[in-house]
């Protein structure tokens, strides 16, 4: 029997009534943090601005707090940045994900290596 290399995929999504936060939302929030704009973050992800709004709005509804502070456009232009709660959620999610990946990797190796 031939040995074949196998691997796994592991994704973590946070859920309330529905799934509301996972790798895609985390990536979107990182781009908002970097670019200071939900519109630019959506464009970087090849996503419609309206879809980005919907994703963030759904997460905020599930959580009961704002993830982004929005500044309406004008002569200086609009923008967005992470709220303190949004930044904390992103940090907690990523810390949880790192620890979970270590545990899952250990379990995977136990059964498949």
């Amino acid at each position: 029997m031939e040995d074949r290399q196998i691997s796994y995929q592991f994704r973590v999504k946070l859920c309330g009534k529905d799934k509301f936060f996972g790798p895609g939302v985390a990536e979107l929030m990182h781009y908002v943090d970097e670019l200071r704009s939900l519109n630019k973050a959506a464009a970087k992800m090849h996503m419609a601005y309206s879809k980005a709004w919907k994703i963030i709005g759904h997460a905020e509804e599930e959580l009961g707090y704002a993830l982004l502070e929005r500044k309406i456009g004008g002569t200086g232009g609009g923008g967005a940045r992470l709220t303190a709660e949004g930044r904390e959620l992103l940090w907690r999610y990523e810390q949880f994900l790192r620890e979970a990946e270590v545990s899952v990797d250990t379990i995977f190796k136990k059964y498949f290596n």
Side-chain angles (χ1 to χ4, degrees):
M1 185 173 202
E2 180 182 333
D3 275 347
R4 294 185 183 219
Q5 187 69 21
I6 60 171
S7 61
Y8 66 94
Q9 290 183 347
F10 178 72
R11 292 176 60 121
V12 172
K13 294 183 180 181
L14 303 180
C15 305
K17 289 185 276 181
D18 268 328
K19 292 179 270 187
F20 68 88
F21 197 94
V25 184
E27 182 180 14
L28 181 62
M29 289 179 65
H30 275 291
Y31 285 137
V32 168
D33 196 35
E34 174 190 334
L35 302 169
R36 299 286 189 237
S37 165
L38 182 59
N39 191 24
K40 290 177 183 175
K44 185 147 185 162
M45 293 180 70
H46 307 286
M47 176 189 303
Y49 178 63
S50 58
K51 183 175 180 179
W53 261 115
K54 186 176 180 179
I55 289 168
I56 294 296
H58 178 66
E60 289 177 338
E61 185 178 311
E62 288 283 344
L63 290 162
Y65 57 82
L67 297 174
L68 304 181
E69 292 176 6
R70 293 123 173 133
K71 180 181 173 195
I72 303 300
T75 55
R81 64 182 203 158
L82 302 183
T83 62
E85 295 87 355
R87 191 172 302 283
E88 176 74 11
L89 174 69
L90 185 58
W91 182 84
R92 286 175 182 246
Y93 173 79
E94 290 178 339
Q95 295 306 308
F96 172 70
L97 183 60
R98 283 186 190 99
E99 288 186 39
E101 286 172 340
V102 169
S103 295
V104 170
D105 196 50
T106 299
I107 295 166
F108 177 80
K109 287 176 181 173
K110 176 180 174 181
Y111 292 101
F112 293 100
N113 283 347

